[in-house]
Amino acid sequence: MDLFSQIEVTERAEVLKLRQELEEANRLYYVANAPTMTDREFDEKMRRLQDLEQAHPEWYDASSPTQHVGSDLTVKGEGLAVSGKGFEQVKHRYPMLSLGNTYSRDEIEDWLKKLPADAEIVAELKYDGLSISLWYENGYLTKALTRGDGQKGDNVIDNIRTIPSIPQHIDGLPTRLEMRGEVLLPWENFERLNREREEEEEPLFANPRNAASGTLKLQDKNEVARRGLTCYLYYMLGENLPGETHYERLEQARKWGFPISDAIKVCRSIEEVMDYIGYWDTARKALPVATDGIVLKVNNLHEQEELGYTAKNPRWAIAYKFPAEKQLTTLKSISYQVGRTGVVTPVANLEPIQLSGTIVQRATLHNEDFIRQLDIREGDRVWVEKGGEIIPKIVGRADRNEGMMECCNDGMMNDGMMYRFPEVCPECGARLVRVEGEAAWRCLNENGCKPQQIGKVIHFVSRKAMNIDGLGDETLTLLYDQGLVRNIADLYDLKKDDIARQERLGDKSADNILKAIEASKQVSWERVLFALGIRMVGETTAKKIARRFRSIDELQWATKEQLVGIDDVGPQIADNVVAYFLDEKNLEILMRLRAAGVTMEAQGEEPEALSDKLQGKTIVISGVFSQHSRDEYKAMIEAHGGKNSGSISKKTSFVLAGENMGPEKRKKAEEIGIPILSEEEFLEMVNGQ
Ligand code: IVH
C-alpha cells in the first residue's frame, strides 16, 4: 500500500471512530443525562469530523452526527418510572436547529466581517439548559416540545406548566405563535436538589443542565414543581408576526408578558460585540442561572432570510462559548484513594486555589497512564479545571523550565525517573492488579480492605437494595472502626446499645434503625441479590438472574454457561457471580444472613412450563419486535424449554429476528448457516399444533 492510501485508511478509521464516539456522547448527554465528555472535547471532535468529511465527500453519510442534532427523545422504557407511559412525540412545525459554535474570538470576528457592513447584531447570553418550543394557539399554551431529534420532540407540557414565569394564556396573541427558549434549573435550586440527593444517597447531577433535563423528563409534575425550573425565551416563530427585526420581536414578546432576558443588546460594530463578550465573561458569574457563552444573531429578519441555513445551523447566528475556568497551581503531593469497588485513583493535593466560586485543594489525576503521558511530578505547576463535572481535575502541566534554576537539585533527581504507581493498596497493603484493557489499578481484597468493606455495607443498606434507613456513611464508618460492622451480616447482630451510644444517635434513632433492619428481612430475593454487591450485578441484572435462579441455593451451583444464557449477562458478569460463590468469606456471610432470616428465595409461583417444544434449543434474539417485547420472547423461550443466548455460534439453533436485526449478527448467522425466524414464524412454532 502506498503512503497516500495508508493515510486514507487511517483517516477513514478515524471518521468511523469519531462518528461512533460522538453518537455515544450525544446519547449520554441528551438521553442518559450523564455526560462523560466535556463540551469542549465534544466540539473539538465534531470539528475534526467535519474537516475530515469535507476533505472526503465520498464518505458522506446522512446519519453522521455532523448531519443531525443530538436527540433527547425519551426512548420507550427510559425515564418512565412512575406512570409507565412515555411522552407524546410531536413533529416540530419548524425544525429545531442548534447553533454553530466557536471558542475563538478571532473566529467571531471573521464571522462578523462576512456580514453586510452595516448589519446590526443582537448579542444575547447563551443559557445552559435545554431548549424548549412553546406553542400558543388562540392565545393558549397548548404544547411544549423538547428539541428531540430536531424534527420531532417530546411534549412535556404538564411539566412546563409548573414554571410560574411561563404564561398559560395571553390575550391578543397571533392565532399561532411559537416561542422558543431555554429551560433552566437555577444554581440555588440545583445545589439544594443535590444536597437532598446526597442525603438520600442518590447519584448527584453533574451540573444544572443535567438536573434540568432530568427534571423535565419526570413523570411526576409535583416533583417538577418542587424542584423549581425557570425559563428564558429568545426566539419567536410563526406567520404574520409583528416586527421587522429580531430585537423588536423580543421586545414585543416582553410586553406580552413572556420571560425575556434583560441582557439582550443591539450591537453596531465589532467593538461593541467584543465589549459585550468581555463584560459578560465576568458578570455572568453573578447570575442566578448557568450560561456557557454568548449568542450573536443578525437583527434584520430579511437579512436573516437571505443568509439562510445549513443542514444543522442557521447562517445568521453563531455562538461563542466561554472556555472552562482553569487555574495554575502547585502540585504538593500525590495521594491515592481507594474507592468502594477497589479502584485506586491518584489524587493531586494542591496549593489551595479559587476556581469557579469555590476553593479547590484536591483534584483527580485520573490514572497511571495520564500521569505518565503528561510526565507529572510532585512540585510541578499544574492546570486545574472545574468543568461541568463535580470533581475538579488536572488537565495539564506548565513547562518545567521556569524556576528550574532554583530547584535544579530536584530536577536532577527527578530527571529520567519514571513515575511508578504504588504496588500495594494504601488502605490494606494487598498487592494491586491492573486488569488488561483497563486503565485502573485495583485492590482485589474486597472483604479485608476498609473502604471496600464499608462500601459494601453502604450499598447493602441503600434504598434500592435493603432500604435500611438511618445508617449513613459516617455512622457506618464509626461502627466499622469499633469492629461492630465489618460486613453485611454483622448488621443483623447489632444491639440497641451498639447504635444508641454512637455520636449524634440516641435511643429513638437506634429503635428506628433496628426496625428498618428487621423489615429488611422481608425484602424480595431479587433485591437481596442486588444488595449483595456482586461486581457488575446491578439492579436489572439481579432481577434477571433472580428470575432464572429462584433461590440462593440454585444460584450457588449455577455454571458460567447457564448464566451467560440469561439476557444481558455476559461472560464477565457470569465470571463474577461464579467467583463470588467460590469465596469462603462470602459463603459464611450468606449463611449468617440466612440464619438471620433474610429472604433467600423467590416468593411467587415459578413461571409455568408451557411445553418442551424448544427443549435443547439455543436461541438468539435480535432486533425490534411488534407483537411482544424482547423480555416476553425470552420468557416464552424458557417457558417452552429453550435457552436464550446473546451471541451467535455453531451451537445456536436459530435466530428470532425482529425489525432492524443487527447487520453483523445477520452476516454471521448467514455465514454459519443458522436459520433466521421471523416473529410470526416463531409464534407459529410455539403456539401451533
Ligand atoms: S437561538 C435557530 N439563543 O443553545 C437558533 N439559542 O446550540 C435557535 N441557547 O439549541 C437558537 N441561549 O438550546 C439561541 N440566546 C439564545 C440561546 C440559545 C441558549 C441554546 C439553545 C440552542 C443551543 C445552540
Side-chain angles (χ1 to χ4, degrees):
M1 203 189 293
D2 62 30
L3 185 61
F4 193 67
S5 34
Q6 251 175 30
I7 293 174
E8 282 238 321
V9 170
T10 348
E11 285 187 345
R12 174 84 183 132
E14 192 183 350
V15 165
L16 297 178
K17 185 158 169 269
L18 284 168
R19 283 181 184 161
Q20 216 174 27
E21 282 179 356
L22 291 167
E23 218 44 81
E24 178 61 5
N26 262 333
R27 194 187 68 76
L28 290 168
Y29 186 87
Y30 286 108
V31 182
N33 289 320
T36 50
M37 212 184 259
T38 62
D39 282 6
R40 176 138 205 165
E41 242 178 292
F42 181 89
D43 293 336
E44 276 164 5
K45 284 185 196 256
M46 180 65 89
R47 195 164 264 217
R48 171 79 182 142
L49 180 58
Q50 276 163 348
D51 290 348
L52 286 169
E53 288 183 350
Q54 213 160 31
H56 295 278
E58 71 278 16
W59 295 342
Y60 171 82
D61 181 343
S63 64
S64 167
T66 55
Q67 304 300 311
H68 63 90
V69 297
S71 170
D72 69 31
L73 287 174
T74 303
V75 181
K76 270 199 188 136
E78 265 178 55
L80 313 175
V82 178
S83 77
K85 281 191 300 205
F87 295 102
E88 174 199 20
Q89 284 187 2
V90 180
K91 190 168 180 300
H92 289 297
R93 287 211 183 106
Y94 311 90
M96 257 178 120
L97 303 175
S98 68
L99 295 172
N101 66 49
T102 173
Y103 288 86
S104 138
R105 294 190 193 199
D106 288 347
E107 281 186 20
I108 290 291
E109 275 205 47
D110 292 346
W111 181 80
L112 290 167
K113 282 180 188 154
K114 274 192 237 143
L115 299 175
D118 55 350
E120 286 182 349
I121 298 297
V122 180
E124 300 173 12
L125 287 172
K126 184 168 179 329
Y127 291 102
D128 193 14
L130 44 146
S131 30
I132 195 80
S133 163
L134 306 177
W135 291 18
Y136 286 84
E137 286 164 307
N138 302 312
Y140 285 91
L141 176 64
T142 55
K143 284 193 182 7
L145 308 183
T146 65
R147 177 156 75 180
D149 60 7
Q151 301 299 321
K152 54 183 181 323
D154 281 339
N155 184 11
V156 290
I157 179 100
D158 291 339
N159 291 343
I160 286 297
R161 288 194 203 281
T162 68
I163 303 178
S165 59
I166 294 183
Q168 311 266 343
H169 173 240
I170 296 175
D171 278 329
L173 284 191
T175 327
R176 268 187 179 191
L177 175 79
E178 195 171 327
M179 289 300 302
R180 289 189 180 172
E182 203 80 354
V183 174
L184 301 137
L185 191 67
W187 284 111
E188 203 183 328
N189 300 358
F190 161 72
E191 275 149 21
R192 189 194 62 208
L193 179 62
N194 261 357
R195 274 199 305 275
E196 289 167 2
R197 289 173 76 88
E198 202 166 5
E199 273 164 31
E200 292 289 317
E201 293 180 7
E202 289 181 64
L204 302 189
F205 286 115
N207 53 49
R209 201 211 75 86
N210 296 123
S213 172
T215 304
L216 205 54
K217 292 292 178 95
L218 287 175
Q219 296 281 338
D220 173 0
K221 60 175 185 251
N222 294 326
E223 174 61 13
V224 179
R226 199 187 66 79
R227 292 191 186 175
L229 293 169
T230 187
C231 178
Y232 286 104
L233 300 173
Y234 45 62
Y235 191 30
M236 188 192 290
L237 279 157
E239 277 157 36
N240 306 320
L241 299 179
E244 294 283 304
T245 64
H246 173 65
Y247 189 78
E248 281 172 83
R249 285 196 176 165
L250 291 188
E251 283 309 316
Q252 176 60 59
R254 191 196 303 281
K255 280 192 202 123
W256 277 329
F258 287 111
I260 308 290
S261 165
D262 288 329
I264 51 175
K265 180 173 191 290
V266 181
C267 301
R268 294 186 174 81
S269 67
I270 294 186
E271 290 69 37
E272 274 183 29
V273 171
M274 291 303 161
D275 282 352
Y276 183 91
I277 294 182
Y279 173 77
W280 282 109
D281 197 355
T282 316
R284 73 192 181 104
K285 289 174 191 155
L287 293 173
V289 292
T291 53
D292 62 344
I294 299 291
V295 179
L296 303 176
K297 299 173 185 171
V298 169
N299 194 17
N300 186 295
L301 298 172
H302 300 293
E303 282 176 5
Q304 280 193 5
E305 209 172 310
E306 257 164 46
L307 286 160
Y309 296 83
T310 69
K312 267 177 79 171
N313 312 126
R315 287 201 190 84
W316 47 262
I318 193 167
Y320 165 76
K321 292 227 205 159
F322 296 121
E325 221 185 316
K326 245 185 351 186
Q327 292 278 8
L328 260 184
T329 187
T330 305
L331 171 64
K332 291 199 297 195
S333 62
I334 301 177
S335 50
Y336 296 86
Q337 200 171 314
V338 185
R340 290 179 185 171
T341 56
V343 169
V344 182
T345 309
V347 178
N349 299 306
L350 304 164
E351 202 59 64
I353 192 145
Q354 180 87 20
L355 193 62
S356 311
T358 51
I359 291 173
V360 174
Q361 27 195 344
R362 282 158 69 80
T364 176
L365 276 161
H366 312 281
N367 52 47
E368 178 186 27
D369 294 348
F370 179 82
I371 299 176
R372 287 201 171 194
Q373 272 154 18
L374 269 72
D375 183 20
I376 289 178
R377 304 173 198 168
E378 292 180 354
D380 277 342
R381 300 280 290 164
V382 287
W383 285 105
V384 201
E385 187 178 296
K386 207 170 140 213
E389 305 78 20
I390 300 169
I391 304 168
K393 56 188 182 190
I394 303 296
V395 291
R397 166 171 73 74
D399 253 351
R400 212 171 273 137
N401 293 341
E402 316 138 34
M404 202 53 173
M405 294 308 285
E406 301 117 69
C407 65
C408 55
N409 280 339
D410 275 3
M412 296 281 281
M413 261 174 54
N414 275 334
D415 252 0
M417 254 179 33
M418 273 293 260
Y419 167 75
R420 288 188 74 120
F421 206 85
E423 285 174 5
V424 296
C425 174
E427 292 281 344
C428 72
R431 187 158 288 277
L432 298 179
V433 292
R434 185 168 165 175
V435 181
E436 221 184 288
E438 280 185 25
W441 284 90
R442 263 178 202 283
C443 165
L444 297 184
N445 184 17
E446 288 182 58
N447 291 315
C449 176
K450 179 174 168 180
Q452 296 187 69
Q453 286 173 290
I454 297 184
K456 273 178 181 275
V457 184
I458 290 173
H459 169 73
F460 187 80
V461 301
S462 67
R463 208 160 44 100
K464 288 183 173 166
M466 304 302 272
N467 193 23
I468 302 175
D469 219 5
L471 288 175
D473 296 20
E474 278 172 38
T475 310
L476 286 172
T477 307
L478 288 174
L479 294 172
Y480 181 95
D481 289 340
Q482 294 161 32
L484 290 165
V485 178
R486 290 277 160 107
N487 61 50
I488 54 179
D490 291 343
L491 288 169
Y492 295 90
D493 292 340
L494 279 175
K495 305 278 172 302
K496 182 170 171 183
D497 180 54
D498 295 336
I499 309 173
R501 67 166 194 257
Q502 302 301 330
E503 236 174 85
R504 282 194 283 131
L505 296 178
D507 271 6
K508 195 156 182 290
S509 324
D511 281 339
N512 287 339
I513 291 170
L514 285 179
K515 246 189 242 159
I517 292 177
E518 193 54 34
S520 76
K521 295 177 184 170
Q522 305 308 321
V523 161
S524 67
W525 156 231
E526 57 186 48
R527 269 173 57 188
V528 172
L529 179 54
F530 167 60
L532 294 180
I534 303 174
R535 188 165 291 157
M536 290 166 75
V537 177
E539 224 185 327
T540 321
T541 312
K543 229 179 238 170
K544 291 186 172 165
I545 296 178
R547 275 192 204 142
R548 169 71 178 76
F549 295 97
R550 298 177 51 82
S551 69
I552 197 87
D553 296 323
E554 278 184 46
L555 182 58
Q556 183 178 349
W557 303 112
T559 63
K560 181 174 177 183
E561 272 272 84
Q562 288 173 319
L563 287 161
V564 172
I566 303 173
D567 192 16
D568 284 351
V569 176
Q572 234 180 334
I573 301 184
D575 279 342
N576 292 343
V577 174
V578 172
Y580 180 87
F581 289 103
L582 289 176
D583 187 327
E584 269 180 43
K585 282 203 186 114
N586 291 334
L587 297 180
E588 187 200 316
I589 288 172
L590 289 173
M591 250 165 51
R592 289 176 58 204
L593 289 178
R594 190 203 291 266
V598 173
T599 308
M600 291 287 183
E601 57 193 28
Q603 299 299 323
E605 290 290 299
E606 286 224 20
E608 208 184 330
L610 294 175
S611 80
D612 54 6
K613 283 182 186 164
L614 301 176
Q615 194 66 48
K617 299 227 178 334
T618 302
I619 298 148
V620 173
I621 297 191
S622 177
V624 182
F625 298 91
S626 49
Q627 305 200 28
H628 297 276
S629 70
R630 273 171 87 91
D631 282 342
E632 282 168 354
Y633 278 119
K634 299 224 155 154
M636 243 184 254
I637 287 170
E638 287 184 5
H640 288 280
K643 224 179 87 182
N644 288 292
S645 158
S647 58
I648 296 175
S649 70
K650 286 199 187 111
K651 287 193 202 147
T652 310
S653 313
F654 64 83
V655 180
L656 166 55
E659 291 279 306
N660 301 328
M661 170 179 175
E664 286 300 314
K665 277 207 173 130
R666 183 173 288 277
K667 206 169 123 208
K668 187 152 183 210
E670 282 167 0
E671 267 170 23
I672 331 182
I674 309 286
I676 300 178
L677 267 65
S678 70
E679 245 181 309
E680 291 73 23
E681 287 168 323
F682 173 80
L683 290 172
E684 173 63 29
M685 177 189 248
V686 295
N687 296 332
Q689 291 314 308

